[in-house]
Amino acid sequence: MHSFHYRDGSLHCEEVDLSTLAERHGTPLYVYSAATLRDHYRRLKGAFSELDLHIAYAVKANSNLSVLRLLAAEGADFDIVSGGELFRVVKAGGDPGGCTFAGVGKTRSEIVYALQSGIYCFNVESEAELRFINELAREVGTPAHCAVRVNPNVDAGTHKYISTGKSENKFGVDFQNIQGLYDTAAAELPHVVMRGLQMHIGSQLTSAKPFIEAVEKVAPLAAELKAKHGIEFLSIGGGVGIVYRDSLASGDEAWWSKQSEGGEAPLTLEEYASALTPLLKPLGLRILLEPGRFIAGNAGVLVSRVLYKKHGSAKTFAIVDAGMGDLIRPALYQGHHDIVPVREAEAGAGAETVDVVGPICESGDFFAQDRDLPKLEQGDLIALMSAGAYGFVMASNYNSRPMPAEILVDGEEAKVARERQSYEDLVAGE
Ligand SMILES: *Cc1c(COP(=O)(O)O)cnc(C)c1O
């Protein structure tokens, strides 16, 4: 479910009118729904009730401290990809002992910091990294708990920039080399303790098939590693897709009941869970999930104002005050975001085919091209839907534009989760 809906002709997040928030805090403005974040977390947990399931929220999807604090209070663990993310989790009151540390390029200082913080596990992506962690664990004087990320060579069928489980991707260790690496660890690396096995095949998956294919391949390997090396967990990664299209029209059940991107049958939570549970349960292992987009994606919108309309010879442009520096998904990987007016279009009001573009000096700075939208006028507010994951976290100051504020709505309350940057913030440190 998500908690964005029209009431009295104006788009609300839970009980709060987005136009009121725009007046008070300015635009562009990220707005997140606490109820939606909680709902997604609880539903995912509930769907896998037959397993010993731990949800390690992928911090990179939305790392705002208020979001992390909310999820920590729900009992979430965290999947981190940098020392900075570990710092955020600790700041937010999360337990470092529940953190898994992923990524192909962990640095010395990050590994030392994670060892000293007592994280749950390093998800290791190469033999060289495993040897380096062993070395640092010796220096720090604490054993390093590790899992190896297996690359199952499965095509996730998603955009090539967010596909990670094929042999040509930089991620993970080839399936056929995994056993050897665990044997090496046992024989030669006294400061690492092999605790689990991990996989993550990509992001924004909209079919259960690649997950099933990958788990079918990896589960027997996990069983062998349990028998031989006593591993205690299998992480099946994140990647559960969300529905980006028609997210508002179908109300609360939007992203489960509608067609998903690419026109495939959508991946329902029930399908996902019921396909995987029979494969995972017999292992008798702790199962980790690392959802990011699934938790946060439909829990946030980016509110922006139309600065100008421009009628070119080939196109009509709605130039808005948010740009690719605030939300880069369309420019980076053709990500789709529904665009809706905050003031609900009246029945019978005119539609128009427009490009919705930002103010940044790049032709790639657009949110929609040739999109049929209710007619927008100068000064109108719009909401870019499904912007809660991989939105603000990818923001930049390109063109020296301060980053937007973030608001967390919980029922009738709306609190500033991050202040809008000032011009002084732009030059701090220079
Ligand atoms: C990015 C990432 C995730 C989260 O992916 P989503 O598609 O947002 O669910 C999980 N695990 C790892 C290792 C990742 O890199």
Side-chain angles (χ1 to χ4, degrees):
M1 74 146 220
H2 69 72
S3 304
F4 296 91
H5 47 259
Y6 286 110
R7 183 181 301 159
D8 303 327
S10 190
L11 192 60
H12 282 59
C13 174
E14 304 188 28
E15 307 302 317
V16 178
D17 191 336
L18 292 181
S19 59
T20 309
L21 290 179
E23 293 302 332
R24 189 171 302 154
H25 302 286
T27 52
L29 186 71
Y30 274 98
V31 181
Y32 309 126
S33 158
T36 309
L37 291 164
R38 284 191 200 103
D39 177 72
H40 292 174
Y41 178 86
R42 288 175 191 172
R43 286 175 65 168
L44 195 54
K45 185 104 182 148
F48 286 97
S49 56
E50 286 183 50
L51 301 176
D52 175 18
L53 183 82
H54 289 241
I55 295 180
Y57 168 69
V59 172
K60 72 176 190 278
N62 184 326
S63 57
N64 186 285
L65 291 181
S66 296
V67 170
L68 300 183
R69 204 173 291 125
L70 178 153
L71 291 170
E74 288 292 308
D77 291 327
F78 296 95
D79 188 60
I80 57 171
V81 293
S82 71
E85 288 190 349
L86 176 54
F87 181 76
R88 282 181 174 276
V89 168
V90 172
K91 275 270 173 202
D95 176 12
C99 284
T100 47
F101 191 170
V104 296
K106 304 174 190 78
T107 65
R108 165 183 280 269
S109 66
E110 287 178 322
I111 294 166
V112 168
Y113 175 37
L115 283 168
Q116 288 168 340
S117 306
I119 65 162
Y120 177 65
C121 193
F122 292 92
N123 291 340
V124 173
E125 304 236 12
S126 64
E127 179 171 344
E129 182 194 334
L130 189 62
R131 290 184 180 277
F132 190 49
I133 290 174
N134 180 67
E135 193 54 35
L136 296 182
R138 187 187 55 78
E139 280 179 28
V140 174
T142 176
H145 293 104
C146 294
V148 176
R149 175 170 178 173
V150 52
N151 185 327
N153 193 24
V154 166
D155 187 354
T158 185
H159 190 279
K160 64 177 189 300
Y161 286 8
I162 51 177
S163 173
T164 59
K166 291 276 287 171
S167 298
E168 64 260 34
N169 297 129
K170 69 178 175 184
F171 298 101
V173 171
D174 286 336
F175 190 88
Q176 63 273 17
N177 297 334
I178 294 285
Q179 294 265 17
L181 197 47
Y182 282 75
D183 292 343
T184 302
E188 298 174 30
L189 307 175
H191 306 286
V192 303
V193 179
M194 300 312 286
R195 185 169 232 183
L197 179 67
Q198 198 267 352
M199 64 170 229
H200 172 70
I201 58 173
S203 197
Q204 185 51 15
L205 274 71
T206 53
S207 151
K209 232 178 83 187
F211 282 118
I212 295 165
E213 203 184 314
V215 170
E216 276 175 344
K217 234 169 145 172
V218 165
L221 177 62
E224 281 175 49
L225 293 173
K226 182 186 177 194
K228 195 161 169 204
H229 296 286
I231 65 166
E232 67 185 36
F233 80 87
L234 170 62
S235 168
I236 60 169
V240 182
I242 63 168
V243 168
Y244 279 97
R245 289 172 198 271
D246 289 331
S247 52
L248 198 58
S250 53
D252 271 1
E253 295 304 309
W255 43 271
W256 287 130
S257 56
K258 300 291 286 190
Q259 289 294 102
S260 45
E261 212 158 11
E264 295 173 62
L267 172 62
T268 67
L269 185 52
E270 292 70 24
E271 270 169 6
Y272 177 64
S274 66
L276 294 180
T277 297
L279 299 171
L280 295 171
K281 199 174 175 188
L283 293 174
L285 291 169
R286 169 185 292 197
I287 302 297
L288 265 61
L289 276 182
E290 304 164 359
R293 190 189 310 270
F294 176 86
I295 302 281
N298 280 319
V301 299
L302 176 58
V303 181
S304 180
R305 199 179 284 281
V306 179
L307 296 173
Y308 305 105
K309 288 289 287 293
K310 176 164 163 172
H311 302 277
S313 57
K315 286 189 171 212
T316 298
F317 297 95
I319 302 164
V320 301
D321 64 2
M324 65 190 281
D326 307 301
L327 177 63
I328 203 175
R329 292 189 66 258
L332 186 61
Y333 26 61
Q334 288 102 46
H336 173 95
H337 290 273
D338 278 354
I339 298 174
V340 300
V342 169
R343 163 87 15 218
E344 191 173 15
E346 288 175 17
E352 193 172 34
T353 306
V354 291
D355 280 21
V356 179
V357 302
I360 290 177
C361 302
E362 296 283 343
S363 292
D365 181 28
F366 59 81
F367 293 121
Q369 293 179 304
D370 298 318
R371 181 91 58 96
D372 291 325
L373 292 178
K375 206 162 175 164
L376 295 170
E377 302 297 345
Q378 192 166 343
D380 284 353
L381 291 168
I382 59 168
L384 293 142
M385 303 301 294
S386 313
Y390 306 105
F392 183 90
V393 286
M394 287 191 182
S396 81
N397 289 124
Y398 184 41
N399 281 200
S400 290
R401 300 174 70 256
M403 289 183 197
E406 296 173 282
I407 305 291
L408 181 65
V409 169
D410 196 354
E412 292 177 350
E413 267 178 65
K415 69 160 193 179
V416 178
R418 180 182 163 120
E419 306 266 4
R420 182 177 304 283
Q421 282 189 324
S422 66
Y423 286 156
E424 283 299 332
D425 292 331
L426 289 181
V427 296
E430 288 183 23

